């Protein structure tokens, strides 16, 4: 997709499974760290969070695993902003393997802006400067083909007759 | 759902975010550890993997986040087997918070059995004893309502007129 470069990281030893491959959940860890980088980029950084009590909650993540990633590799995360409204961000992340030069996984995210206060946690609109930065990301994403957006309902393939 | 109890764990400190809440990706880590427990239960354990080169690859994971989990809590993972065929397992995991006494997240999984050999990795059928154990889990799951199966396509809500 060649999206907006967001984050890259070498693989950490404790992200690997017994085979020396990136464990399924570790793709989610990398995607989550990339969302931290997205928050910094759009102004939902640590200072904003401390000052306002505002942050992002994850509502859904859909991970599609396309290619193994092995010890020693570097993963780069690219973003396509699929949409946003007053409180939500719908985004597609692509995890790219440097060594295999391919897309290793896609992670579709739905994020909700909330404010944590004395009365608990409530969804709340983004401040104007965040809306503006989301608009910039939307424009940068507009020409990108989406790898996973609108991922289908998960289902086993239709059963075929047993081989003779 | 009160599914088949698969795995439970106290929260580890490095699974938490700056708020002391379980990070989104850490739900995936717990689900992944629960799939390890499932593999042991159906006979795809370390001995089987070493002996045969067979293992499970994750094709897709859909996580739905329903409730926060905080430091000090214990998460129990329950399974509903949604279906299986000669090579695939379609399962719904429910992550239950002990402290909040509620479902914290659901994780829908599609898993593929593969064999790793000199010629690379190929999908391969489950051995008969694994098929038998999957049949037992399917029977134990048959009466359970699914929390997340057939999770819908992810989409922003339809836009409403801006408030006056």
């Amino acid at each position: 997709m060649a999206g907006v470069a967001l984050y890259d990281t070498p693989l950490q030893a404790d992200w690997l499974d017994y085979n020396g491959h990136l464990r399924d959940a570790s793709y989610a860890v990398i995607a989550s760290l990339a969302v931290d980088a997205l928050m910094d980029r759009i102004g939902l950084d640590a200072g904003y969070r401390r000052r306002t009590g505002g942050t992002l909650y994850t509502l859904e993540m859909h991970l599609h695993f396309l290619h193994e990633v092995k010890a020693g590799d570097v993963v780069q995360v690219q973003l396509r902003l699929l949409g946003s409204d007053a409180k939500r961000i719908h985004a597609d992340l692509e995890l790219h393997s440097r060594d295999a030069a391919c897309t290793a996984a896609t992670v579709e995210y739905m994020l909700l802006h909330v404010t944590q206060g004395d009365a608990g946690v409530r969804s709340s609109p983004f401040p104007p400067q965040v809306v503006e930065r989301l608009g910039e990301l939307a424009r940068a994403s507009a020409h990108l083909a989406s790898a996973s957006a609108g991922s289908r309902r998960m289902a086993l393939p239709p059963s075929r007759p047993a081989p003779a």
Side-chain angles (χ1 to χ4, degrees), chain A:
Chain A
M1 122 173 124
V4 177
L6 206 55
Y7 176 73
D8 59 72
T9 180
L11 301 194
Q12 293 182 18
D14 64 350
W15 291 349
L16 306 176
D17 65 11
Y18 62 92
N19 266 324
H21 296 161
L22 196 60
R23 180 184 265 275
D24 55 5
S26 302
Y27 293 77
V29 172
I30 293 172
S32 184
L33 294 171
V35 168
D36 290 349
L38 172 65
M39 292 177 75
D40 285 347
R41 183 184 287 227
I42 60 178
L44 301 175
D45 52 19
Y48 170 86
R49 297 196 296 264
R50 204 170 38 240
R51 208 165 53 242
T52 65
T55 191
L56 291 181
Y57 273 19
T58 304
L59 301 179
E60 289 186 45
M61 285 176 86
H62 290 193
L63 294 96
H64 290 234
F65 300 90
L66 305 173
H67 201 281
E68 293 168 86
V69 184
K70 296 177 186 170
D73 205 345
V74 171
V75 172
Q76 188 197 40
V77 184
Q78 300 175 342
L79 166 82
R80 183 182 183 221
L81 190 72
L82 299 170
S84 59
D85 65 13
K87 303 175 179 180
R88 287 175 196 79
I89 296 171
H90 185 197
D92 206 16
L93 303 185
E94 201 169 294
L95 277 59
H96 192 261
S97 152
R98 182 199 58 186
D99 290 355
C102 70
T103 301
T106 62
V107 184
E108 189 183 354
Y109 255 106
M110 187 68 79
L111 300 158
L112 177 69
H113 185 254
V114 300
T115 302
Q116 302 159 309
D118 294 337
V121 177
R122 285 170 182 269
S123 67
S124 59
F126 295 115
Q129 64 275 24
V130 173
V131 172
E132 192 173 321
R133 294 192 197 174
L134 287 170
E136 288 163 15
L137 284 174
R139 285 188 290 280
S141 301
H143 69 288
L144 303 170
S146 173
S148 74
S151 58
R152 72 196 183 292
R153 181 178 160 137
M154 205 186 288
L156 291 166
S159 57
R160 285 165 298 190

